[in-house]
Every structure is written in C-alpha cells, then in structure tokens.
Amino acid sequence: MNQQRSADDWTAQGLKALAKSGFTALKAEPLAKAMGVSRGSFYWHFADLAAFHAAVLKRWREIAAERIIADVEAAGDEPVKLLLRRSFGARLDLERAVRNWAAFDASAQAAVRAIDRRRLDYIEELLQKQGLGPATAQARAQILYWTFLGFALSGPSITAARLQALLDEILRMVSA
C-alpha cells in the first residue's frame, strides 16, 4: 500500500465520497480502502473524524464559493452572467450532499449558513455594481439565490440549450 497521501488527498477523496454516497461515507476505513492506504494515513493527517469533517467542509466552501468568486472577479466582463453560468452549470451533487449533511450535523449546518451568507453578499455586491440600489439589490440577490437553490436541489438535469435559455431569462429578470 502506498502510504504517501496528503491531507489534501484525503479531503479530495472525502468530497468525492460525499458527493457520491452522502455524509455517512465520510469514515476513515472506507475512504482508506478506496485510496489503497491504511487508516493510519488518515490519522497521520487528522486528529479525529471531526477534524476531517472540518477539512472537508472548508474545502467545499473554497470550491463552492471562493473559487467561483475568484474566477468571476478575474474575468471582469459581465460578472452576473458569468456567475450564473458557473453556478447553474456546475455539477451539484456535492451541493445537495452537503445540504443533506447539514440537516443532521451542526458543523455542516454552520458551513452551509456561512456559504449562503457569502454567496448572497457577493450577488448583492454585483447587482449594486450594476447600478441597483441597496434594497433592490438585496431583494434580487435573495430571489436569485433561492432560484439557484431550487435548481440545485431539483432532481433531473435539463439540456444545455434549455439551461442557457433559462439563464438568459433569469439574467433579464435580475437586470431589469
């Protein structure tokens, strides 16, 4: 067995397992088996399961908010449009899995609340930069975020063409 696994390897495997099988899959033994290492590798990097869970939630926040925001900021052009494409075009298995986990775990619930606040604040900021007043930007940011959550938690996917048509309509509604 190759024991040369980093904490990042473990959190990446944790995110994969979480997205595929839910939060009950976030245990040292099955993850170690999937990675072809012993549980000792897990405990080399994490004091306990709670520390591992915290690392997984931290990585989720980075992926699900901070990286997207950084990409939008780096692009500069049409940030709301880019944010819609990135958010609605992403695979949302992980989003659903973390939100399900939050129904059973206080740490996951706190992470979800924090990311919801971060995302809402960012959307509101973008809308204000487009010229909307604070109250209007806040209301439209909330509506836009609820739309995203409804989409993320919905089951069947839609075609790329249908998604683009919906995103165009959302953009018109938000920008009106």
Side-chain angles (χ1 to χ4, degrees), residues 14-135:
L15 288 172
K16 282 173 52 178
L18 177 60
K20 182 179 179 186
S21 304
F23 67 95
T24 59
L26 296 178
K27 297 176 182 164
E29 186 66 37
L31 292 171
K33 186 174 180 178
M35 294 172 68
V37 298
S38 72
R39 282 186 322 158
S41 173
F42 177 91
Y43 291 107
W44 176 260
H45 297 292
F46 303 100
D48 55 22
L49 205 51
F52 174 66
H53 287 174
V56 168
L57 290 168
K58 180 181 179 196
R59 177 75 62 83
W60 171 68
R61 287 190 306 267
E62 291 166 5
I63 292 167
E66 299 312 320
R67 285 187 192 169
I68 292 171
I69 290 169
D71 288 350
V72 169
E73 290 297 311
D77 249 5
E78 301 187 75
V80 175
K81 186 175 187 176
L82 180 58
L83 180 63
L84 287 174
R85 282 191 182 143
R86 283 291 312 271
S87 300
F88 284 78
R91 289 203 49 208
L92 297 167
D93 299 345
L94 189 56
E95 184 80 25
R96 286 188 289 272
V98 172
R99 289 182 179 281
N100 183 49
W101 184 12
F104 300 93
D105 181 88
S107 296
Q109 188 177 69
V112 167
R113 277 195 310 269
I115 204 168
D116 286 346
R117 183 76 267 146
R118 174 70 169 118
R119 288 169 169 172
L120 273 167
D121 289 346
Y122 183 66
I123 297 165
E124 188 176 334
E125 175 187 322
L126 289 180
L127 294 175
Q128 285 185 26
K129 285 180 182 176
Q130 285 187 331
L132 296 177

